[in-house]
């Protein structure tokens, strides 16, 4: 059973606490055909029971100012579009995913139709797989070209760490495809002796907007074979590109599109975000093109309880005698300790 949302996160002095169902044995979630728990699964502790234990005692109970309950949600499955190569579907199945969730199949369908699309579904809802299946299928087609690189793809991440993580994921998923998919990171840490290989032979280049601006686009004649064959541009965590930074990245993307047009390509943009308030509108502003929105999350989710946790007042006083609350860091330390004692797997953001 897939419990996809983050446990126990305290964000600030009035931060939310998110509690999913808890088991004492938490195997990696699988996109199983039934979406149900495997036989012999351990008994679960309800989120409400976990919260009740955290708030035991009068001082703790008064710190919760609001709670919100979200019931469990069953998965909705679909089938991959028949235009995706059978080898790619087999590789996905080899990774333990028998059928896609409905939003994954819909996003892949839009991409194959040549429409730019933003996937705006929850954390761990399979957004990466939604854009990877059409990308890998196109790269597999391109590997059969006389030069072995009849199609390329570009992946943009806000951080180098995310790009490196995605390369590992792509390599693992595409392993059954042999040398047809050649992912490579191109950033400031890429050794100079490797950069020429990336330009000439990689067909899935993972980088960041800064390196695109400073290392790729100014040297576009050296990247001409890559840009000429560019079929897809993936923009991950697209909600990070807002404000002045977002306007800068938007101009870089417009320059990328202009250079692609010069070399005869018109790539499809695939964007992903779990926290965008208006996904299609913000994505369209970012890339300057119409964008299809896929926001109906079809992945399964366990029961959730959200609690707003307010640290108590202390005996200290601040400016002009203002009361001072206990710090969020101290509260988080106590909460994490309690959750650990209860055997609850936890993540805190502070």
């Amino acid at each position: 059973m897939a419990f996809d949302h983050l446990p126990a996160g305290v964000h600030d002095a009035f931060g939310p606490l998110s509690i999913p169902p808890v088991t004492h044995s938490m195997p990696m979630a699988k996109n199983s055909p039934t979406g149900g728990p495997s036989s012999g699964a351990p008994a679960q502790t309800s989120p409400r029971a976990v919260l009740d234990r955290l708030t035991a005692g009068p001082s703790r109970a008064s710190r919760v100012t609001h709670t919100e309950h979200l019931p469990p949600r069953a998965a909705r499955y679909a089938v991959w579009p028949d235009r995706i190569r059978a080898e790619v579907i087999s590789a996905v199945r080899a990774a333990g995913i028998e059928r896609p969730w409905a939003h994954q199949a819909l996003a892949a369908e839009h991409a194959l139709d040549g429409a730019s699309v933003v996937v705006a579904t929850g954390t761990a809802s399979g957004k990466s797989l939604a854009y990877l299946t059409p990308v890998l299928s196109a790269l597999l087609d391109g590997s059969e070209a006389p030069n072995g690189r009849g199609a390329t793809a570009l992946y943009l991440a806000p951080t180098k760490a995310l790009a490196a993580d995605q390369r590992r994921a792509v390599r693992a998923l595409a392993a059954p495809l042999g040398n047809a998919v050649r992912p490579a990171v191109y950033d400031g840490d890429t050794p100079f002796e490797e950069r020429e290989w990336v330009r000439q032979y990689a067909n899935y280049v993972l980088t960041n907007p800064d390196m695109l601006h400073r290392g790729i686009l100014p040297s576009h004649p050296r990247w001409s074979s890559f840009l000429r064959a560019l079929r897809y541009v993936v923009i991950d965590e697209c909600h990070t590109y807002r404000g002045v930074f977002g306007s800068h990245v938007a101009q870089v993307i417009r320059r990328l599109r202009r250079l692609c047009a010069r070399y005869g390509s018109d790539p499809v943009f695939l964007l992903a975000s779990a926290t965008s308030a208006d996904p299609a509108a913000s994505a369209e502003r970012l890339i300057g093109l119409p964008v299809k929105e896929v926001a109906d999350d079809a992945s399964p989710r366990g029961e959730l309880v959200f609690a707003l946790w307010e640290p108590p007042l202390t005996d200290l006083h601040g400016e002009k005698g203002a009361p001072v609350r206990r710090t969020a860091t101290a509260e988080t330390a106590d909460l994490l300790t309690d959750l650990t004692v209860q055997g609850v797997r936890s993540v805190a953001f502070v």
Side-chain angles (χ1 to χ4, degrees), residues 238-296:
C238 62
H239 60 274
T240 61
Y241 306 120
R242 59 184 184 269
V244 174
F245 176 52
S247 68
H248 290 171
V249 174
Q251 296 303 322
V252 171
I253 291 173
R254 282 157 178 76
R255 186 183 182 194
L256 170 65
R257 289 176 48 212
R258 178 173 58 82
L259 289 171
C260 286
R262 171 178 176 173
Y263 290 108
S265 65
D266 185 18
V268 172
F269 286 80
L270 309 176
L271 303 95
S273 171
T275 58
S276 180
D278 194 352
S282 59
E284 288 176 358
R285 287 194 297 268
L286 181 63
I287 69 172
L289 291 170
V291 174
K292 299 283 188 181
E293 178 179 306
V294 176
D296 184 12

Side-chain angles (χ1 to χ4, degrees), residues 99-172:
R99 289 183 293 165
W101 293 317
H103 65 273
Q104 294 173 318
L106 179 58
E109 189 77 46
H110 287 318
L112 293 167
D113 288 341
S116 294
V117 58
V118 56
V119 186
T121 53
T123 302
S125 61
K127 294 183 290 296
S128 296
L129 192 63
Y131 61 70
L132 272 178
T133 47
V135 168
L136 295 181
S137 189
L139 297 183
L140 188 57
D141 288 339
S143 69
E144 298 169 354
N147 67 351
R149 196 165 75 160
T152 60
L154 180 69
Y155 172 92
L156 296 178
T159 65
K160 291 189 291 185
L162 180 56
D165 181 67
Q166 282 291 305
R167 178 182 59 178
R168 289 189 292 270
V170 171
R171 281 181 171 173

